[in-house]
Amino acid sequence: MQKFLDRLVEKMLNEQAGKLEDIALILPSKRAGTFLLESLSKQSKTSTFTPQIFSLSDFVESQSDLVVVESTELLIELYEVHQQLEGEAADSFELFMSWGSTLLQDFNEIDRYLIDGNELFTFLTEAKALEQWNLNGEALTDFQQKYLKFWRKLSDYYREFKIKLAEQGKAYSGMQFRALAEQFLEKPNFQLHADCVYVAGFNAFSEAEKSILGSLEKFVKVEYLWDSDSYYMNDNTQEAGIFLRKEKAKRNDFSWVTSDLLEGTKEIKVYGVSANVGQAKTVASILADFNEVNGFNDTALVLADEGLLMPVLESLPENVGELNVTMGAAINQSYLYDFFESFLQLLLAAEKEADEKGNFSSIYHAPLQKFLQHPLQKALPKNYQVAQAELLERIKKENLLWVPKDAILKLNEKLDFSLFIQALSPQAILEALLKMVHYFMQAFHQNNEKLELEYLAHFEVQFQRLLSLQTERHSLKSVKDLYLLYRQMIADAEVSFVGEPLKGLQIMGVLESRLLDFKNVILCSLNEGLLPAGKKQNSFIPFDIKHKYNLPSYKEKDAIYAYHFYRLLQRSENIHLIYNTKLDQLYGGERSRFLEQLIYELARKNPKVSLQEFRVESPLIREEEQTHTVLKTQASLQHIKKHWQSGLSASALNTYLNCSLDYYYRYVLGLKGEEALEEEIEASTFGSVMHDTLEELYQKHIDQVLSANCLTAIKDRCEAVLEEQYFKHMQIKPHFGAHRLAFEAAKLYLHNVIAIDEKEVQKGSKLVIRALEKEFKREYELGLEDLEIINLKGKIDRIDELNGQTRIIDYKSGKVAPSDLKTSNIETLLIGNKPKMAQLLFYLSGLNLSDQGAKAGIISMKSSSNGFMPLVLEEKETTFLNMLQKVALEILNVEVPFSHNEKSNYCDFC
């Protein structure tokens, strides 16, 4: 197998021996030039000058008076044109960003293909006008008129934008190509010292590229050398050869067409693997079994999905020594990007709370907590971390949904620079970001963290570029503008790796593989949506209009990648093709049609091709559900006795009846549930708000006979007291969203409770409140050998007298039915099926009122039509004592372990 570049060097040495310095080479990529020089050094037997080597874009740049500027600056230039043309009707920068990048791409494509922009946009406007034409003769709506106005203005944008750039000597890539093509169309005047130019390894040219190369042919001898294979050249149905077949048809000579795919010996293995991590591990397994004599010097690992780079690098086996990564690691995949992203999102949250002057008093907790909990915070000073932890604890403890600005700014006192800024101007933010970068650089330099330093250096460049643009133009008016432009700029930023370009394993993207040949190829992510990219179209120009003007659509782009795919395999012998089987919203888990075609067709046409398919799957681990139990020890029994003797509550008793294992975690181990902020009010907090509100409303009327006037006064205060208690518990005023709904529900429930009392008063009943939120503790004789005396403790919502009879009332915010408070089978209490009955029995015994004619019952705020629902049970004291003794004997029985109740719905820990 002779590699294409070796053949090219051989041709140069045979035809241009001794005068290589008079040759120029135009190649698809700079990387191909490095490999060409290596081949030249091996084949040349004498010392010689090297030829001039250009990529096509470098060659055009060397001949043009215009300088291509990066996309961020182009966007700002285009926005200024937009403001100039639209005046006061101009979109905000935020809205402009939603369409500005797309328009830039269309301008670039129009110029690369030498299309008359004015004609195309006029045609496009007429097509859009037809879309909006009302057949019934009705006038266009305001929206339709604005819509058509936008399309009519595109031609103006195109013209004015190019004029603006040209005046400054700037250009986007397509504009630079077009300008050079038009400049040299009549009189080629290339600044090139060469007698012969080889244009090698190309597949498809844009019209501007064809024009420039055509002009070059008038200036100097130009020879085209093609890297193609008869497999797709001689078959008109093969999309990989679409462009090369057109080139061959219009030329007398066409060099070169090989038959490597149809005649070469190839061993192809296809792997279906789930997820990116699975692909990375499969690559590692393939490389670990590698036993080539020359190591990995003739091996390429090609990643169709660049997001696979870091998983692959982290999975490489030990036998991989030298390697070279030609593709960069995307900055937006680093945890440093997450840090700056969360910082800007924090400022976005502050901007939402700010007034017209940019002043704000608080920030929503979620973005603040995300920023404060980022791992990079660990690189900040210890005293800052202490203050940061205290603030996070305060947020949880006080349920601060909106954190005061002063509390945040206090963190700056622990730093040498202001991490949290007061001014929300883009310039101040960028200056703060640069200070952060410099601080972290010093910290990482001390720890010799080279990769992080490289990332930070790139962030510094991006922030400095943004600051320079803002200082010069003041285009960014808000944090949102800055955030959008930052994300646009960072999206394309990469950290380049430094390695030996000609030794070891070569890791590259698909485009970096152009013109390069390897004996061993591993190609990953062969899925539809990645290779080829499919019908993604980020353009304002519809498919049919692109077709009319010969602009490339997804079909042409797919054909280009089909060529790259087959060309990569032409001279390879050992080929490993990997695709992702995992279902994905973007790529669907469907393997590439290039792969389907290869599997179906190549082995049939070339008997020297061996093709095997593998499905790589992790073995399923069968896990049988285990019933978790905890055996009792003397220590746990002593803890239980101590708990019962110091004070057993109704909730603890019901916890045990509901699930003994949950009781063990809560009351023996003393575990507590994780504290979390309540975005929306939880049921327990809702109940606390209701209870505290009722206590506040009725507190002034204790020991008074309630009258209609009293209840009217209570009802009048209801909303104000409820709002006060809501804010006390939630640290938020319930004026909007889910909080408003909860507040209105609570107000309804309160009116329901008051209405129950009103009915009694209207009937002429004598109603007196005796206690609210009454706490009790009673020494109780259990009468067991191991537990003679215990204590019962608790808090009762309300004790009143109705017509002289004492009532113990428990409020419930949930739904309760009278059937929940009666039973004919006492065993239902012991298995936790009647927790509300157990609670009322507990209260009666705790107050020593079981046999004194007192009633215990529940008022359900939700089911107020039932009124006061009494406990219905004979011999309450005896029943409670028997129940408590049976529970105590069971809980103290060392043979009965703590175990989870499968029917329990309220376990926090099991």
Side-chain angles (χ1 to χ4, degrees), residues 843-859:
Y843 287 166
L844 283 168
S845 294
L847 292 173
N848 197 18
L849 295 174
S850 296
D851 296 325
Q852 297 184 24
K855 281 188 175 183
I858 287 175
I859 289 179

Side-chain angles (χ1 to χ4, degrees), residues 748-757 759 812-816 858-869:
L748 177 63
Y749 288 176
L750 289 172
H751 286 172
N752 287 344
V753 173
I754 298 168
I756 292 172
D757 290 341
K759 285 182 181 179
K812 297 292 184 188
S813 55
K815 190 172 183 179
V816 181
I858 287 175
I859 289 179
S860 170
M861 302 176 191
K862 195 171 186 179
S863 310
S864 61
S865 59
N866 292 321
F868 172 77
M869 293 174 281

Side-chain angles (χ1 to χ4, degrees), residues 137-203:
E138 291 181 4
L140 295 179
T141 65
D142 184 56
F143 175 80
Q144 288 174 314
Q145 289 176 356
K146 289 180 179 178
Y147 179 77
L148 291 177
K149 181 182 176 182
F150 171 77
W151 293 106
R152 292 191 191 102
K153 282 287 185 75
L154 290 185
S155 180
D156 296 335
Y157 282 126
Y158 176 69
R159 181 186 66 254
E160 294 299 325
F161 183 50
K162 292 184 68 172
I163 291 172
K164 189 176 195 297
L165 290 177
E167 288 174 349
Q168 302 174 70
K170 299 176 181 178
Y172 48 88
S173 177
M175 177 180 168
Q176 185 188 58
F177 271 73
R178 181 173 198 151
L180 191 66
E182 292 173 347
Q183 177 185 342
F184 287 167
L185 190 60
E186 298 297 329
K187 186 180 179 182
N189 188 24
F190 290 90
Q191 302 299 313
L192 181 68
H193 302 289
D195 298 329
C196 177
V197 176
Y198 290 110
V199 179
F202 284 89
N203 170 37

Side-chain angles (χ1 to χ4, degrees), residues 129-284:
L130 284 173
E131 286 181 9
Q132 302 300 314
W133 181 32
N134 292 331
L135 291 174
N136 56 12
E138 291 181 4
L140 295 179
T141 65
D142 184 56
F143 175 80
Q144 288 174 314
Q145 289 176 356
K146 289 180 179 178
Y147 179 77
L148 291 177
K149 181 182 176 182
F150 171 77
W151 293 106
R152 292 191 191 102
K153 282 287 185 75
L154 290 185
S155 180
D156 296 335
Y157 282 126
Y158 176 69
R159 181 186 66 254
E160 294 299 325
F161 183 50
K162 292 184 68 172
I163 291 172
K164 189 176 195 297
L165 290 177
E167 288 174 349
Q168 302 174 70
K170 299 176 181 178
Y172 48 88
S173 177
M175 177 180 168
Q176 185 188 58
F177 271 73
R178 181 173 198 151
L180 191 66
E182 292 173 347
Q183 177 185 342
F184 287 167
L185 190 60
E186 298 297 329
K187 186 180 179 182
N189 188 24
F190 290 90
Q191 302 299 313
L192 181 68
H193 302 289
D195 298 329
C196 177
V197 176
Y198 290 110
V199 179
F202 284 89
N203 170 37
F205 294 113
S206 69
E207 294 303 316
E209 291 166 347
K210 290 177 185 177
S211 178
I212 291 169
L213 292 174
S215 298
L216 185 62
E217 291 175 29
K218 301 174 184 176
F219 184 79
V220 70
K221 179 187 176 184
V222 177
E223 186 171 352
Y224 293 87
L225 303 173
W226 311 96
D227 186 4
S228 60
D229 194 277
S230 57
Y231 172 70
Y232 49 81
M233 289 297 293
N234 298 338
D235 184 350
N236 290 333
T237 63
Q238 290 280 357
E239 60 184 329
I242 286 177
F243 299 105
L244 290 177
R245 288 195 293 270
K246 290 179 181 178
E247 292 291 342
K248 185 178 181 181
K250 67 182 182 181
R251 298 179 186 276
N252 295 326
D253 59 334
F254 190 88
S255 304
W256 298 293
V257 180
T258 63
S259 293
D260 295 305
L261 285 171
L262 291 175
E263 298 176 7
T265 301
K266 299 182 186 299
E267 183 177 353
I268 301 175
K269 294 180 179 179
V270 179
Y271 307 83
V273 188
S274 177
N276 279 353
V277 173
Q279 290 192 78
K281 297 300 180 185
T282 302
V283 168

